[in-house]
Amino acid sequence: ERHGFDHYMLKEIHEQPAALERAIRGRVTPDGDVDLEAFPPGCFSDVDDVQIVACGTSYHAALYARQLLAERGVPTQVFSAGEYATTPAPVSEHTLVIAVTQSGETADTLASIRLASERGARTLAVTNVVGSTAARVCDDAVFIRAGPEIGVAATKTFSSQVAVLTLLRERLAEDITGQRGADRERVLRALERLPGDVQQVLDQSSVESLAARYRDRDGHFFIGRGVAFPVALEGALKFKEITYEHAEGFAAGELKHGPLALVTPDTPVFAVFAGQYDDKTLNNVEEVVSRGAPVVGVGSEESTDVAATVDEFLPIPDTHPVAAGVLANVQLQLVSYHVADLLGRSIDKPRNLAKSVTVE
Ligand code: F6R
């Protein structure tokens, strides 16, 4: 069933081009519009603000979506679902609460949408599983069509969530603000190219030798800004989850507010560049370089300034930032996978973890 791959996780990483193809298929029209089946233009006209609830990797996809929605002027808050009830945010009938959940069965996420419904909000599930509890409990659902994910570590579902949330962002933003984003064409073209671009990363990635050099260190830090910030968080989560080594992700700008104290020649820093605010992140890279930390940069193959500053460079095809974050994340998935493999970890079933967390 693993079709020649040593682990489901690696198989699922390699399924991303096909999964993304399905996520987008029929949803971008030839004339450059977004067609989200049950969500025709105008269906979100009465929405004033958006709240997104999610856990783990899905929470990182939610943070990615917040960045995208903010760029289009849509007021958006993101909550780790386990904290949604503890920090009650104002909700009205004009609030759309989106649950991002691969399985559709995560207890904290379900509790959050039930609470949101009780408080009068409109709810929408973005999920992989048709017939899941989230799909049934929410007023509406959009399916990410990633196909079954067996590995406990979420990989292809993150990419598909981001793709679908990007399409949803276009619909929401147009309905709420009355305007199409100036770069909408480029965003949709980048999405259409994304399956092929991911394939290119998979075909050309050279992380195996890098993994051998970075597998036995004091800690591993991941930094980024804009959409690269949730990618940094996701890179660190995947790394700790399957390698059992210490990893932390930070907003690049937070580094000098504390974490820099931990940076030494024995703590590699993975810096994510998505073509937004790259110069600022490069400044942060220089701060860690001067502390002797080895830096692995992930960014556009055309970013010669990034490639020249870092110790090792993992290139991705040059594209719109919306897609660049997904591509950078694929490189980081491969890093985590290969480090975990070298360490002989139980990659598909990491200790203490379950695929679906059904208790709060
Ligand atoms: C990490 C991982 C988890 C899930 C989280 C939410 O690799 O898989 O962090 O993302 O448990 O699960 P869903 O998306 O099913 O709600």
Side-chain angles (χ1 to χ4, degrees), residues 3-22:
H3 297 282
F5 289 103
D6 288 345
H7 299 93
Y8 280 107
M9 181 182 178
L10 190 60
K11 173 174 176 267
E12 288 158 4
I13 288 173
H14 282 265
E15 283 171 351
Q16 288 175 115
L20 284 164
E21 200 79 60
R22 284 194 301 273

Side-chain angles (χ1 to χ4, degrees), residues 9 53-60 81 99-110 126-129 134 144 149 151-155 157-158 161 234 237-238 241-242 350 353-357:
M9 181 182 178
V53 294
C55 295
T57 293
S58 295
Y59 174 68
H60 300 150
V100 181
T101 168
Q102 183 280 128
S103 63
E105 303 298 343
T106 300
D108 283 320
T109 308
L110 295 177
V126 174
T127 182
N128 196 27
V129 182
I144 65 168
E149 191 175 63
V152 164
T155 52
T157 54
F158 175 83
Q161 284 168 343
E234 174 58 11
L237 176 63
K238 214 96 303 177
E241 183 178 13
I242 62 167
L353 300 178
K355 183 69 183 161
S356 188
V357 182

Side-chain angles (χ1 to χ4, degrees), residues 118-272:
E118 275 164 29
R119 297 175 71 205
R122 176 172 169 186
T123 54
L124 170 66
V126 174
T127 182
N128 196 27
V129 182
V130 177
S132 60
T133 307
R136 284 186 284 110
V137 166
C138 287
D139 297 321
D140 289 297
V142 184
F143 298 101
I144 65 168
R145 307 176 185 158
E149 191 175 63
I150 310 290
V152 164
T155 52
K156 62 176 177 173
T157 54
F158 175 83
S159 297
S160 297
Q161 284 168 343
V162 170
V164 169
L165 287 165
T166 303
L167 293 170
L168 188 63
R169 181 275 296 254
E170 297 302 333
R171 172 84 295 117
L172 276 167
E174 189 178 340
D175 284 357
I176 294 170
T177 68
Q179 285 174 345
R180 288 189 173 196
D183 63 348
R184 173 149 156 186
E185 282 269 329
R186 289 205 302 124
V187 167
L188 297 181
R189 293 289 91 82
L191 275 188
E192 288 177 319
R193 260 186 54 192
L194 187 55
D197 285 345
V198 170
Q199 191 62 53
Q200 186 180 323
V201 170
L202 295 173
D203 292 343
Q204 296 176 2
S205 182
S206 57
V207 301
E208 275 186 81
S209 53
L210 180 145
R213 286 192 293 287
Y214 292 121
R215 68 175 179 177
D216 185 23
R217 302 292 184 130
D218 284 350
H220 305 79
F221 301 130
F222 295 73
I223 60 170
R225 348 172 108 60
V227 294
F229 167 47
V231 172
L233 295 180
E234 174 58 11
L237 176 63
K238 214 96 303 177
F239 199 93
K240 70 184 87 166
E241 183 178 13
I242 62 167
T243 72
Y244 309 163
E245 298 290 315
H246 180 248
E248 266 189 274
F250 309 107
E254 278 295 318
L255 208 58
K256 53 178 159 308
H257 300 286
L260 203 52
L262 293 171
V263 170
T264 72
D266 208 32
T267 58
V269 176
F270 293 82
V272 183

